[in-house]
Amino acid sequence: MIKKFIVGLTLLSMTSFAYPSIYTGSGGLTVMSARTLPFANLGINIGIFYSREQYHDRIAISHYPVYHHYGIGKFGMNYGVIDNLEIYGGGTFYGNYDEQNDETASGERVDMYILGSKDVYGGVKFWIPVINDTTKMPLVWLIGSNIYGTTTVMRLNDDDSTYIRGFMPYFEHHYDIGADFLMDLEIKPILIHLSIGYLKVGAPMDAHIYPLAPITNAYFTPHRYNLINWGAGFEIEAGPFVRFIPEITGHHTDRLTSGAVAADTLIGTIGIRLITPVGVTFDIGGQWALNHFDFVPDWGWQGVNSTPEHPNYDSLSARNPIQDYYNQAARWRVFLNITSTNALIPPPKPPPKGTIIVEVKDKETGEPLVANLIFSDTTIAPMMTDSAGQSSIALPPDVYKFDVTKDGYKTARVTVTLKKDAELSVPITLNKIYHPKGIFTGTVIDAQTRKPVAAKIYILELKGRPAIVSGIETGVFKDTLPAGNFTVKVEAEGYVTQTFPIVIRDRDTYIKNIKIYQKLVEHKKITLKGIHFNSGKASIRPDSYSILDEAVQLLKANPDVKVEIAGHTDSVGRASYNLRLSEARANSVRDYMIQHGIEASRLIARGYGETMPIAPNTTRAGRAKNRRIEFIVIK
C-alpha cells in the first residue's frame, strides 16, 4: 500500500497540475499560468502579506521615528468548469497600523490602526494546447487568456484619520476590466509562465479633503491610469513536493495626466511552493520593488496618483503628502499563501482489470527473446518483452488478439480470453525463419608462382555485403551464402580482376580454387619455367602444354599487351646454330599461342641463342637454366 501511495505521488508530480496563485487564478505566485484547474476541482486560497517601514513623520510639525505596518489579506476560490476552463473570484482586505515610538514628545500621540475591505474581483481563464504530446517531443506549449474585473466594496471613513499618519487612503472607483494573454512552456523540470495584458480602470467616485496640519487643509483629486501589465515566472521542480518560483512583474501607465507623474512599476518575487499529499500547498516568499516609484503595499491594481488642488494647500510645507506617502511606503513585503485543492466529483473508478503475462522464447534453443507485441485493438499501444522475454500487461476483461513478432522469426498469432482479476500466463515459442544457404570456399593463388594471394572476393548480386577476404599466408577463404546463382568478382593488388559464375545450393559446399594473373606492365619479363623441347629441335614436348596454356591465359587476362617471345640456348654447339635453334623454338611457342586464341599481332618471336646466359654454362644445372623461353612486355 505504501509503495502504491508513493508511486501515485510521483506520477502526480510528473503531471503538470495548476495550483491557485496569490491572486486566486491558477499559476505561480503572482504570474498566472495558461493551464487551469482540472474539471470539477475546487481551489480555496488565503494569502497574507506584511511589510513594515520606519521613518520620521514629515507631515506633522514634530519629527520623531514611527513604524508603519502594512497588512493585506486575500481570500479567493477557483473552480475547474472543464479541463480547459476555470472561473475564480475573491476579495482583498487591508490593515494599517501606526506604531508610535517611545520618544514621543507629548502624550497626545497614540498608536492608530484601521481595518477594512478593499475590493472584490473575479475572472474566467481558459487555454488551448499548441504542443501537448510529450511522446513526440519533451515540450508542452499552451496559450490562454484571462479576463477579469474588480471594484471597491466600501471605503472606511477612518481612512481620513489615518491619512495624517502617512497612510494612503483607498479611493472608491468604478469597475476595472482587464484581459491577459497567457503562455506556458513546460520543459521538465522547468515550467515557464508568461503574460501580458491591459487593464481598463474605472474612474474615481469622488475626491476628499485631508488635513495636512492643524492650520491647513488640502483637497486632492485622485487620478487612475490604465495599465499595461506583464509578467514572467519560472516553476523549478525540486522533486514531487517542492517548487522554487522566481518571478518578475511590471505595470506601465498608458498615458500622462496633467499635473501628475506616470512611470513604470517593476516588482521582483521569489518564493517556494510546498506541496502536500493531501491537496494543501503553502507558498512562502517575498517581494521587492526594483524601482520604488508608485510602489504601495497593494500595488498593481489601481495605479493611483493625486495632485493638490485645494486653494488652502500649504505651500510652505514644501511637500505633496501623496508623494510623501510614495517615498515613505515600504519597498518590500513578505507573504504566506495557503491553498487547498480538491476534486468535488471523484474520478470514476477504473474498470476491473486482469493481467496477461507473456513469455517469449526461441523454439530450438529455449533462449528468451526480446519481441514486439502488436494488438489488433489499435487503442492498445505496441509493447516489447524485456531481456528475460517477458511482458506483463494489465487490461480490462475481454478477448484479445495480438501478434508476436521478431526479425528472423515467424510471426505468432495469439488469441486469449482475459477474466476479471485473473493472471493469465501465455508462453510463446517462435520459430526461426529458415533461409536456404550453402558454403562457398576455396583458395586464391598466383597462376604463375602458385603462391597464395590475399584477395577480396565480392558477390555482385549481394550489394552492400562486405567482401570475403582470402588469407595472406594460405590464400584460403570461406563464407556462408544464400542459395542461388551469383557472379563472383576477385580483386587483388597487382593482379587482373576476375569474374566468374557460381551456384550455391542449400546445405551444400561450393569449392573454387581461384588462379589470378598478374597485370603485365611494360618491360616486365616473365620466364616460362618447364617448357621442354626435343633435343636439338624446335618441337614442343607435350609435358609443356600446361605451362603454355597458363601463358595463354595470362595473355588473355591482359588483352591489351603486346609481348616479345624470346628464345635462349646454352653454349653447347656452334653459336650460329644456337641462334637459329632459339629463334625456331620462339616461333614454335608463338604458333602454339596463336592456335590457342592469341592474336598474331600481339606476338613477336626472337632468338638470342647463347648470348644472354643467366647461369654459367660450365655446369649441367647452369646450362639447363640458360635453355629457356621468356616473355618481355613490349607495349
Side-chain angles (χ1 to χ4, degrees):
M1 179 62 71
I2 294 176
K3 288 184 178 180
K4 289 183 179 179
F5 178 69
I6 294 175
V7 169
L9 292 178
T10 303
L11 292 175
L12 178 62
S13 70
M14 295 172 63
T15 304
S16 296
F17 188 86
Y19 298 94
S21 67
I22 292 174
Y23 297 119
T24 303
S26 53
L29 300 173
T30 61
V31 180
M32 289 193 184
S33 65
R35 194 178 290 277
T36 60
L37 286 185
F39 166 66
N41 273 254
L42 176 67
I44 300 174
N45 75 300
I46 299 174
I48 302 172
F49 302 79
Y50 171 77
S51 60
R52 189 191 77 166
E53 186 71 11
Q54 178 185 3
Y55 59 95
H56 287 277
D57 184 352
R58 294 178 293 170
I59 299 178
I61 297 175
S62 60
H63 296 268
Y64 50 85
V66 297
Y67 286 105
H68 277 180
H69 301 268
Y70 306 93
I72 299 290
K74 286 185 175 290
F75 173 80
M77 294 188 296
N78 56 336
Y79 178 72
V81 180
I82 57 176
D83 282 341
N84 293 53
L85 174 70
E86 76 174 20
I87 56 175
Y88 64 91
T92 306
F93 306 88
Y94 68 92
N96 295 333
Y97 178 65
D98 180 41
E99 178 187 357
Q100 299 297 321
N101 192 276
D102 293 339
E103 299 176 5
T104 303
S106 66
E108 297 178 0
R109 291 188 174 275
V110 295
D111 293 351
M112 181 177 289
Y113 69 90
I114 185 170
L115 300 173
S117 58
K118 177 177 177 289
D119 59 34
V120 293
Y121 56 86
V124 59
K125 190 156 72 79
F126 61 90
W127 61 275
I128 58 175
V130 179
I131 300 174
N132 201 25
D133 187 356
T134 55
T135 61
K136 295 182 179 179
M137 59 186 306
L139 168 67
V140 174
W141 180 12
L142 312 175
I143 60 175
S145 181
N146 172 42
I147 303 171
Y148 60 93
T150 182
T151 187
T152 54
V153 177
M154 61 178 294
R155 181 182 64 82
L156 298 182
N157 291 330
D158 288 345
D159 279 4
D160 296 354
S161 61
T162 59
Y163 181 73
I164 196 171
R165 299 292 184 96
F167 289 107
M168 180 71 178
Y170 290 104
F171 297 106
E172 294 175 290
H173 60 85
H174 295 282
Y175 293 100
D176 296 341
I177 299 176
D180 297 325
F181 171 78
L182 308 174
M183 184 169 68
D184 286 1
L185 296 172
E186 300 176 2
I187 310 173
K188 295 293 185 174
I190 298 176
L191 286 69
I192 304 172
H193 308 308
L194 304 172
S195 71
I196 186 168
Y198 185 78
L199 177 66
K200 175 68 175 177
V201 301
M205 292 184 179
D206 56 11
H208 302 280
I209 297 176
Y210 299 104
L212 291 176
I215 60 173
T216 306
N217 289 334
Y219 178 74
F220 292 97
T221 300
H223 297 284
R224 307 188 72 242
Y225 306 119
N226 299 333
L227 297 176
I228 297 175
N229 302 316
W230 61 271
F234 298 84
E235 291 189 57
I236 305 170
E237 296 181 344
F241 307 116
V242 178
R243 293 184 183 181
F244 295 102
I245 308 179
E247 295 177 339
I248 187 168
T249 54
H251 314 288
H252 174 73
T253 56
D254 66 346
R255 64 187 176 89
L256 298 177
T257 302
S258 175
V261 180
D264 292 341
T265 301
L266 195 63
I267 309 300
T269 305
I270 188 167
I272 184 171
R273 172 166 287 167
L274 305 177
I275 304 168
T276 68
V278 294
V280 178
T281 61
F282 297 89
D283 297 331
I284 305 169
Q287 295 180 294
W288 287 263
L290 303 180
N291 59 340
H292 71 279
F293 191 90
D294 206 22
F295 180 85
V296 293
D298 60 332
W299 60 78
W301 284 92
Q302 295 192 39
V304 176
N305 203 344
S306 301
T307 58
E309 297 180 1
H310 195 276
N312 293 330
Y313 175 71
D314 182 5
S315 60
L316 297 177
S317 301
R319 288 176 306 277
N320 179 343
I322 303 297
Q323 191 63 52
D324 272 350
Y325 172 76
Y326 291 143
N327 292 333
Q328 297 174 29
R331 297 184 62 187
W332 61 269
R333 68 180 180 182
V334 294
F335 60 83
L336 169 64
N337 194 53
I338 303 173
T339 69
S340 176
T341 307
N342 295 281
L344 299 184
I345 302 175
K349 293 183 178 180
K353 291 186 176 181
T355 304
I356 301 174
I357 302 174
V358 178
E359 186 175 12
V360 183
K361 294 182 178 181
D362 183 294
K363 186 172 183 179
E364 294 183 4
T365 65
E367 293 294 324
L369 299 176
V370 177
N372 300 305
L373 309 180
I374 302 173
F375 285 79
S376 299
D377 183 352
T378 56
T379 61
I380 303 174
M383 55 196 69
M384 295 178 64
T385 58
D386 57 22
S387 58
Q390 296 180 347
S391 180
S392 181
I393 313 159
L395 294 170
D398 206 342
V399 177
Y400 294 97
K401 297 180 180 180
F402 59 92
D403 292 341
V404 184
T405 66
K406 182 175 176 58
D407 290 343
Y409 288 81
K410 293 181 179 179
T411 298
R413 302 185 184 278
V414 181
T415 301
V416 296
T417 301
L418 183 63
K419 296 182 179 180
K420 175 182 175 182
D421 298 329
E423 285 193 358
L424 182 60
S425 179
V426 184
I428 299 169
T429 56
L430 297 183
N431 293 310
K432 285 184 178 179
I433 299 174
Y434 180 73
H435 298 283
K437 56 185 178 292
I439 296 174
F440 176 42
T441 187
T443 59
V444 181
I445 62 172
D446 185 299
Q448 280 72 47
T449 65
R450 300 297 193 273
K451 292 182 178 180
V453 177
K456 293 182 179 179
I457 304 168
Y458 296 94
I459 311 301
L460 298 184
E461 288 78 8
L462 303 179
K463 298 185 183 300
R465 181 186 178 90
I468 307 168
V469 180
S470 59
I472 297 176
E473 297 182 356
T474 63
V476 175
F477 66 88
K478 184 179 182 181
D479 202 357
T480 300
L481 300 178
N485 298 330
F486 303 102
T487 302
V488 176
K489 181 173 73 172
V490 183
E491 293 180 348
E493 186 176 357
Y495 289 86
V496 177
T497 298
Q498 285 194 32
T499 58
F500 53 86
I502 61 172
V503 178
I504 303 297
R505 294 183 174 84
D506 186 28
R507 296 183 175 89
D508 199 359
T509 300
Y510 187 98
I511 301 174
K512 176 71 174 180
N513 294 317
I514 305 168
K515 293 183 289 186
I516 58 176
Y517 297 89
Q518 298 178 26
K519 288 182 180 179
L520 298 180
V521 296
E522 194 169 355
H523 304 305
K524 185 177 180 64
K525 182 185 292 185
I526 300 173
T527 301
L528 299 182
K529 295 180 180 180
I531 303 297
H532 301 134
F533 299 89
N534 291 320
S535 180
K537 297 182 180 180
S539 56
I540 302 171
R541 288 166 48 177
D543 60 354
S544 303
Y545 292 164
S546 61
I547 305 300
L548 290 175
D549 290 341
E550 290 291 347
V552 169
Q553 294 301 320
L554 176 62
L555 292 178
K556 288 183 177 180
N558 293 269
D560 298 328
V561 170
K562 186 175 182 179
V563 299
E564 174 188 293
I565 303 172
H568 300 273
T569 66
D570 57 24
S571 61
V572 176
R574 296 190 304 276
S576 59
Y577 173 79
N578 288 334
L579 183 60
R580 291 193 301 274
L581 179 61
S582 64
E583 186 173 352
R585 287 179 173 178
N587 276 300
S588 294
V589 172
R590 180 176 183 270
D591 292 341
Y592 184 92
M593 291 188 170
I594 292 172
Q595 293 170 6
H596 287 77
I598 305 300
E599 295 179 7
S601 61
R602 297 176 59 196
L603 304 172
I604 299 174
R606 285 198 177 100
Y608 292 92
E610 60 188 58
T611 60
M612 295 183 180
I614 59 174
N617 281 305
T618 56
T619 63
R620 178 179 295 180
R623 290 192 294 274
K625 290 181 179 180
N626 289 332
R627 296 190 297 270
R628 68 193 188 276
I629 295 292
E630 292 178 341
F631 281 2
I632 302 171
V633 179
I634 299 174
K635 183 180 179 181

